[in-house]
Amino acid sequence: MSKKLSRYIVEIEKTEKKIEELKEHLSNLRRKQKLDEDLEIVRSIRDIKMSSRELADILDGIQNGSIAFQSVSSLEAQEEFQPEEEILEPGTDEKISGSPEAEMEEETPVDSQE
């Protein structure tokens, strides 16, 4: 057998061994991740301040599908709770017309002195 061919065989064996080690490592990581997720779920449930009966009813509802969850993306949550910014005309302290603040000021009655 040529040297080149024997080097390929040795390299293939090394690579296969590394692949097996990495598969085992990946399997261990997935098992640890699942365990941590389960522990987080248990902690979250224990933190809920409700009676055992109420908690059992909610968990039954989740399992049988009568309770549904609506997910909110973090971006939507941030937009929902951030106050609106004041829009100013560049180089001035005047608000740009059409902004919600400018429209509110225009609608506010001003006492006139006659």
Side-chain angles (χ1 to χ4, degrees):
M1 184 177 334
S2 71
K3 272 186 160 180
K4 194 173 186 179
L5 187 54
S6 67
R7 277 188 277 152
Y8 286 139
I9 292 171
V10 170
E11 187 66 28
I12 288 170
E13 289 171 353
K14 283 184 192 178
T15 304
E16 287 174 342
K17 184 178 177 184
K18 285 181 184 179
I19 289 171
E20 288 303 315
E21 290 172 358
L22 288 173
K23 282 182 180 179
E24 185 178 333
H25 180 69
L26 179 61
S27 174
N28 288 335
L29 288 175
R30 286 188 173 147
R31 189 174 62 249
K32 288 177 183 179
Q33 178 187 15
K34 175 80 168 106
L35 180 63
D36 282 350
E37 287 172 348
D38 292 347
L39 288 173
E40 188 172 333
I41 291 169
V42 169
R43 276 189 227 113
S44 296
I45 299 241
R46 286 183 178 160
D47 287 343
I48 296 174
K49 305 293 184 210
M50 59 178 61
S51 72
S52 298
R53 183 66 190 149
E54 291 171 324
L55 183 58
D57 290 342
I58 288 176
L59 293 175
D60 285 340
I62 292 170
Q63 287 179 342
N64 68 25
S66 64
I67 295 178
F69 294 96
Q70 181 179 7
S71 82
V72 177
S73 73
S74 60
L75 181 60
E76 289 173 344
Q78 286 175 352
E79 289 175 354
E80 186 175 318
F81 296 110
Q82 287 185 352
E84 293 184 18
E85 294 181 12
E86 197 172 284
I87 304 171
L88 301 178
E89 188 71 43
T92 69
D93 288 339
E94 297 178 22
K95 294 179 184 171
I96 295 177
S97 62
S99 70
E101 293 85 3
E103 291 175 8
M104 289 177 66
E105 285 181 3
E106 292 171 3
E107 295 175 353
T108 306
V110 179
D111 291 336
S112 62
Q113 296 178 0
E114 295 179 18

